């Protein structure tokens, strides 16, 4: 966003600050000035000169000698300019003065060019007549300047007066960095309002009066909006008997300062209002509108439309079009059509000022590859209440410039008016939030400067619709802060209750998982959440497996990164494979990462993101090594109940005889086992691989960090060893469940110390031996106590087909 300082001062006439003071003040109040350019930089001693007489140079065919009246005297200047003639008024830099650059329009020298008295081919010259390039500008901003020659000033210019001011170059162009939420500051009026509040000066916006003759626009034009969601407001006014002409100098200068090339009065008015109000406008040739009708509706898929730039654009159903009674005449909010453009033969025209849905404009402009100044403003979300004032302002300028006759009335389609917001206000809460002590009356004065209303009865700030960034009390506090002065806010400690500053419960559990893994020799790995659908075949998953139901990425980097993972194993096995093929031995890796399980396909809501604690290793260690790491972790987080391992877990990527689901309190919290040999081959790993995966959301409900002290046992323990002949299909876990359930309160611990299979054992059986420890907390156990407990244990074991070994 660029503005002219002179344009700002038109609405804040008492603004008497330097360019640097303006830059510093506006930046500190929240409207950041990126930089500025003084248009009169290096322009010194430049006045209006009146050429009285021209003679040929006596010794040069291409030079002429001019006698120039500069108000106080007549001086002689030698020039080679081909376009000057007697009677012309021209800018003249006097001897000792400066110009910004050379006549070739090249880069401007930092210090400018100083002009001295001298002689050209023996004839004295006491100054220099200037081209527009030598004054630091260009023909783009001054279209009437000759392509090669001296700039000719208006005939009524006064000799000796300041030529720089006459050309509008006693001005400063400011460049701003405006954040997207401050849509109101994408206009000169918005910037001027901020400047007035920043420097505590009165703000005088343009006074817009409704203009027009005694006719009614509805007798000339009909407008229909079919999609009010994409076009919440549409205003139209009409001008007839148009007289195209150059715009006045003040309008040209203001547009040029904003980077807009002046064209003619009608086009310049639409651009001027767009810059002044931040409201883009468009003008249609009334005589080219079929049926003298405007219809705002969506395009159809496959439609084509030629825009003003001559390009044929392919449309779709999400592009909003402006149509007449037969055809499209413009892309709403982006660009008009070639078939309704304003030409030099225009007699009557329609001014359009509308408000379009910002998101739709942004997406449409992107798909069409057509981003314009108008779309850049609309996509930020304009205030629909500005549209009518903007079109009235354009019609007012038409009458002021004598550019046409404005037809009375206005067509205004606005089904749902946007109302002002109300935000609760408490001076105490604002001061508590900011750490300041600003008086409530001062805060209300800030609100008044910003044109925010205040309801004394309800103690609410009334926010006008053009301040779309103000939504909550914190935003009101920010308004106070920026006009009180960020630099004045003292450093204070935050108020409120103190916090413990510790990790959340979930993060504490994850931290313990990492500590256990690293203490056990595992190194942390990190893998991509994006995967290829091919990994399911590598993991031997069945075609109908639920793990194949994935979240597909809309714009993937490639097929290998096209879905969100539903299992953490592919990343872990890929890392182990890389280490194995780099000949690294005894590799142990762990990872804490999410999997993404869709709740339904196609997606109707966000997927279930589940944190997985994954362990993988090859080399030294086996199934029981991995089992020990898992149990160490569960013990550290207070899960002291017995963990069960269920071998019939149906996971095809694990070895059929060396796999198990991990079950705690009847809830499956993970799985572990040896990788299936075929799966290991798919990942090119030539050793046995062991993995364990724990589902953290399933674990968290069982975690506790409560610890209770238990004293050292005061009474002796009683040990009993039993050796059993056990059917091979009975697992050790089943035996331990019987011992734990039937041992009673005096059971302290049990330990497997021998498993044997051989010739001395009947075929189909194995020998298993346990050491069982009993102890009472309050007394010394008797044989009767221990024998009773052992009898219950043995009876339970017999139910599993187990016999004591002789």
């Amino acid at each position: 966003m660029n503005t002219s300082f002179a344009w700002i001062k038109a609405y804040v006439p008492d603004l008497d600050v330097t360019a640097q003071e303006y830059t510093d003040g506006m930046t500190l109040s929240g409207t950041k000035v990126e930089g500025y350019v003084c248009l009169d930089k290096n322009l010194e001693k430049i006045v209006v000169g009146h050429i009285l007489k021209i003679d040929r140079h006596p010794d040069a065919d291409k030079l002429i000698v001019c006698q120039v009246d500069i108000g106080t005297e007549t001086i002689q200047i030698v020039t080679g300019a081909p376009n000057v003639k007697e009677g012309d008024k021209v800018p003249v830099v006097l001897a000792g003065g400066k110009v910004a650059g050379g006549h070739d329009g090249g880069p401007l020298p930092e210090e400018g060019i100083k002009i001295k008295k001298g002689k050209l081919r023996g004839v004295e010259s006491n100054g220099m007549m200037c081209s527009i390039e030598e004054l630091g500008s260009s023909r783009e901003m001054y279209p009437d300047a000759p392509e090669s020659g001296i700039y000719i000033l208006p005939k009524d210019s006064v000799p000796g007066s300041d030529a720089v001011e006459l050309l509008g170059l006693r001005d400063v162009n400011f460049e701003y960095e405006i954040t997207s939420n401050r849509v109101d500051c994408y206009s000169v009026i918005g910037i001027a309002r901020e400047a007035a509040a920043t420097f505590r000066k009165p703000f005088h916006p343009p006074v817009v009066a409704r203009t027009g003759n005694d006719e009614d626009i509805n007798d000339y034009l009909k407008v229909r909006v079919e999609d009010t969601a994409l076009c919440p407001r549409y205003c139209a006014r009409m001008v007839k008997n148009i007289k195209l002409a150059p715009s006045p100098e003040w309008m040209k200068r203001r547009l040029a300062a904003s980077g807009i090339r002046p064209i003619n009065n009608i086009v310049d008015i639409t651009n001027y209002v767009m810059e002044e109000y931040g409201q883009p406008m468009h003008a249609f040739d009334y005589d080219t509108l079929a049926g003298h009708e405007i219809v705002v509706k969506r395009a159809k898929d496959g439609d084509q439309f030629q825009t003003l730039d001559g390009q044929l654009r392919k449309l779709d159903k999400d592009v909003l079009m402006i149509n007449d009674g037969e055809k499209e005449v413009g892309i709403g909010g982006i660009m008009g059509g070639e078939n309704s453009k304003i030409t030099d033969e225009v007699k009557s025209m329609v001014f359009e000022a509308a408000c379009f849905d910002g998101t739709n404009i942004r997406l449409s402009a992107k798909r069409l590859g057509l981003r314009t100044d108008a779309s850049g403003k609309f996509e930020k979300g304009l205030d629909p209440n500005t549209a009518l004032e903007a079109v009235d302002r354009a019609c007012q300028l038409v009458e002021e410039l004598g550019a046409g006759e404005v037809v009375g009335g206005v067509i205004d389609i606005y089904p749902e008016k946007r109302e002002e917001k109300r935000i609760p206000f408490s001076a105490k809460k604002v001061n508590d939030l900011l750490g300041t002590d600003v008086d409530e009356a001062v805060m209300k004065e800030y609100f008044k400067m910003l044109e925010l209303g205040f309801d004394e009865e309800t103690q609410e700030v009334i926010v006008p619709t053009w301040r779309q960034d103000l939504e909550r009390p914190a935003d009101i506090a920010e308004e106070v802060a920026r006009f009180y002065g960020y630099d004045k806010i003292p450093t204070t400690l935050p108020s409120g209750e103190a916090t413990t500053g510790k990790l959340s419960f979930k993060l504490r559990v994850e931290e313990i998982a990492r500590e256990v893994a690293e203490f056990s020799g595992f190194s942390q790995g990190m893998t991509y959440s994006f995967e290829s659908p091919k990994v399911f075949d590598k993991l031997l998953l069945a075609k109908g497996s639920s793990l194949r139901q994935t979240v597909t990425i809309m714009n993937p980097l490639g097929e290998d990164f096209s879905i969100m993972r539903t299992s953490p194993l592919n990343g872990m096995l890929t890392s182990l494979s890389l280490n194995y093929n780099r000949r690294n031995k005894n590799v142990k890796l762990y990872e804490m990462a999410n999997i993404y399980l869709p709740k339904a396909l196609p997606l109707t809501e966000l997927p279930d993101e589940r944190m997985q604690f994954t362990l993988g290793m090859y080399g030294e260690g086996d199934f029981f090594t991995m089992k020990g790491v898992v149990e160490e972790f569960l013990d550290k987080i207070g899960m002291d109940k017995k963990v069960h391992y269920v071998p019939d877990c149906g996971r095809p990527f694990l070895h059929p005889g060396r796999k198990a689901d991990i079950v705690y309190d009847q809830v499956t919290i993970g799985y572990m086992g040896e990788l299936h040999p075929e799966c290991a081959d798919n990942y090119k790993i030539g050793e046995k691989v062991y993995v364990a995966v724990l589902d953290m959301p399933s674990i968290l409900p069982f975690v506790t960090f409560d610890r209770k002290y238990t004293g050292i046992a005061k009474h002796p323990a009683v040990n009993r060893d039993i050796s059993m002949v056990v059917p091979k299909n009975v697992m050790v876990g089943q035996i331990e469940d019987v011992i734990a359930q039937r041992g009673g309160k005096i059971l302290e611990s049990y330990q497997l110390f021998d498993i044997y299979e051989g010739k001395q054992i009947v075929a189909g059986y194995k020998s298993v031996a346990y050491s069982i420890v009993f102890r009472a907390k309050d007394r010394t156990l008797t044989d009767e106590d221990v024998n009773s407990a052992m009898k219950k244990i043995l009876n339970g074991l017999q139910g599993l087909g187990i016999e004591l070994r002789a």
Side-chain angles (χ1 to χ4, degrees), residues 138-146 151 252-253 261-263:
S138 66
R139 292 184 65 246
E140 185 172 321
M141 296 299 104
Y142 289 81
D144 56 332
Y151 186 80
K252 288 181 181 180
R253 299 290 76 81
R261 184 171 63 88
I263 297 176

Side-chain angles (χ1 to χ4, degrees), residues 117-226:
K117 288 183 179 181
K119 290 184 178 181
L120 289 178
R121 302 290 292 268
V123 177
E124 187 175 307
S125 182
N126 296 318
M128 183 179 80
M129 292 181 280
C130 304
S131 67
I132 200 66
E133 288 81 10
E134 288 164 332
L135 296 173
S137 192
S138 66
R139 292 184 65 246
E140 185 172 321
M141 296 299 104
Y142 289 81
D144 56 332
E147 185 172 349
S148 177
I150 303 304
Y151 186 80
I152 307 301
L153 296 171
K155 292 185 179 297
D156 58 355
S157 303
V158 179
S161 62
D162 188 345
V164 176
E165 179 153 359
L166 180 65
L167 286 166
L169 294 175
R170 294 284 183 214
D171 198 2
V172 183
N173 278 358
F174 291 96
E175 180 183 357
Y176 306 86
E177 180 184 319
I178 308 296
T179 54
S180 296
N181 65 329
R182 287 304 305 272
V183 183
D184 58 301
C185 286
Y186 284 91
S187 67
V188 176
I189 288 178
I191 296 290
R193 185 186 291 112
E194 289 288 309
T198 298
F199 296 101
R200 312 295 194 267
K201 301 295 183 182
F203 174 53
H204 301 283
V207 178
V208 180
R210 178 66 60 84
T211 57
N213 58 23
D214 295 333
E215 296 178 290
D216 186 353
I217 186 175
N218 291 285
D219 297 333
Y220 287 87
L221 181 71
K222 294 180 181 179
V223 177
R224 186 172 79 254
V225 178
E226 294 187 0

Side-chain angles (χ1 to χ4, degrees), residues 145-377:
E147 185 172 349
S148 177
I150 303 304
Y151 186 80
I152 307 301
L153 296 171
K155 292 185 179 297
D156 58 355
S157 303
V158 179
S161 62
D162 188 345
V164 176
E165 179 153 359
L166 180 65
L167 286 166
L169 294 175
R170 294 284 183 214
D171 198 2
V172 183
N173 278 358
F174 291 96
E175 180 183 357
Y176 306 86
E177 180 184 319
I178 308 296
T179 54
S180 296
N181 65 329
R182 287 304 305 272
V183 183
D184 58 301
C185 286
Y186 284 91
S187 67
V188 176
I189 288 178
I191 296 290
R193 185 186 291 112
E194 289 288 309
T198 298
F199 296 101
R200 312 295 194 267
K201 301 295 183 182
F203 174 53
H204 301 283
V207 178
V208 180
R210 178 66 60 84
T211 57
N213 58 23
D214 295 333
E215 296 178 290
D216 186 353
I217 186 175
N218 291 285
D219 297 333
Y220 287 87
L221 181 71
K222 294 180 181 179
V223 177
R224 186 172 79 254
V225 178
E226 294 187 0
D227 195 326
T228 55
L230 297 186
C231 179
R233 189 174 195 181
Y234 192 96
C235 299
R237 296 203 66 184
M238 187 173 165
V239 179
K240 64 180 186 178
N241 300 325
I242 291 174
K243 303 178 182 66
L244 292 181
S247 298
E249 291 300 319
W250 61 266
M251 181 175 283
K252 288 181 181 180
R253 299 290 76 81
R254 290 180 182 181
L255 289 175
S258 299
I260 298 175
R261 184 171 63 88
I263 297 176
N264 60 48
N265 50 6
I266 297 299
V267 175
D268 291 352
I269 285 171
T270 61
N271 287 331
Y272 185 87
V273 174
M274 180 176 73
E275 293 300 308
E276 188 176 42
Y277 280 85
Q279 170 67 54
M281 297 184 61
H282 189 69
F284 297 105
D285 187 333
Y286 173 76
D287 294 323
T288 65
L289 296 176
H292 294 161
E293 182 181 11
I294 290 178
V295 182
V296 183
K297 62 181 181 179
R298 293 173 183 256
K300 297 177 182 177
D301 288 334
D303 284 356
Q304 292 187 326
F305 179 70
Q306 188 174 22
T307 46
L308 276 170
D309 58 1
Q311 298 294 313
L312 197 62
R313 309 285 176 177
K314 186 174 181 181
L315 310 176
D316 59 53
K317 62 181 178 58
D318 292 322
V319 177
L320 190 67
M321 300 297 295
I322 311 299
N323 305 262
D324 61 16
E326 298 175 356
K327 62 188 179 300
E328 296 102 338
V329 295
I331 304 176
I334 300 178
M335 184 177 282
E338 182 74 17
N339 55 9
S340 64
K341 68 180 180 180
I342 299 295
T343 65
D344 292 345
E345 288 74 37
V346 65
K347 297 292 186 293
S348 301
M349 69 173 187
V350 175
F351 269 138
E352 165 199 279
C355 185
F356 300 104
D357 179 75
T359 301
N360 177 265
I361 293 296
R362 178 177 61 82
L363 295 175
S364 296
K366 183 178 180 181
R367 289 196 306 277
L368 295 172
L370 180 62
R371 195 170 189 275
T372 61
D373 289 341
S375 69
K377 292 183 184 295

